[in-house]
Amino acid sequence: MEAITPEQMRIWRQNAEMTQETLGKHLGLKKVAITKIEGGKRKISDPEQKLLQLLMNGELPFHNSVIETKNSELKFTPEEWEIIHKTARQEGYSDPKLWIVDKIRSYLRMNPQTSQNQIAAESAAPYNKPDPE
């Protein structure tokens, strides 16, 4: 799949009637990062590209209790969702879906194929916990 350009992301976000802040929450980024991407002042990292492609293709599955993607399937039982909710709360997350996204992003950062690009693109990004408010 081709890389999504900042312009494509902006147009899609606007067509989806989504704010920069909301898109940022889906990608585990702050609004300022989305503003910089759309303004051409920051690149979209490889892991962010993957999440964007899933989101833009309607495959980011955080709208119901069963998480699925086209190429693989991951389902959570009610008991597993309970554990996810509890763990997310313990780690300071109000939304367990954001916790899942951050865990995926953290995993991608550990992957040698993506870690260097991710570290370069997001050296100051909070991956493991949201900023305290």
Side-chain angles (χ1 to χ4, degrees):
M1 197 175 273
E2 282 190 42
I4 296 167
T5 67
E7 180 69 9
Q8 289 170 323
M9 183 183 83
R10 182 186 60 77
I11 291 169
W12 175 84
R13 178 185 61 75
Q14 290 173 338
N15 287 338
E17 299 179 356
M18 187 181 294
T19 66
Q20 289 179 329
E21 185 175 4
T22 301
L23 177 58
K25 286 181 181 179
H26 282 297
L27 299 176
L29 299 172
K30 293 183 179 184
K31 179 185 180 275
V32 68
I34 301 300
T35 302
K36 286 180 180 181
I37 289 170
E38 290 182 356
K41 295 180 180 174
R42 181 190 174 287
K43 293 187 181 225
I44 303 170
S45 69
D46 291 342
E48 292 162 357
Q49 279 285 339
K50 292 173 187 176
L51 287 172
L52 258 176
Q53 289 169 357
L54 289 171
L55 182 64
M56 290 173 71
N57 291 314
E59 297 171 4
L60 192 58
F62 296 140
H63 60 279
N64 62 36
S65 63
V66 177
I67 294 187
E68 298 178 353
T69 64
K70 236 179 201 168
N71 297 325
S72 63
E73 188 174 296
L74 177 62
K75 293 183 180 183
F76 294 116
T77 65
E79 294 81 16
E80 290 169 329
W81 268 115
E82 188 174 319
I83 292 168
I84 289 168
H85 281 266
K86 181 180 177 183
T87 305
R89 279 192 308 271
Q90 288 174 343
E91 292 185 20
Y93 290 82
S94 60
D95 184 348
K97 298 168 194 168
L98 293 176
W99 179 83
I100 293 168
V101 169
D102 279 353
K103 293 304 173 187
I104 292 169
R105 292 177 65 108
S106 294
Y107 171 78
L108 291 171
R109 282 183 54 102
M110 291 186 291
N111 181 335
Q113 295 174 343
T114 61
S115 64
Q116 291 305 312
N117 292 337
Q118 182 68 17
I119 290 168
E122 284 295 321
S123 59
Y127 285 93
N128 294 322
K129 282 193 174 185
D131 287 337
E133 295 182 29

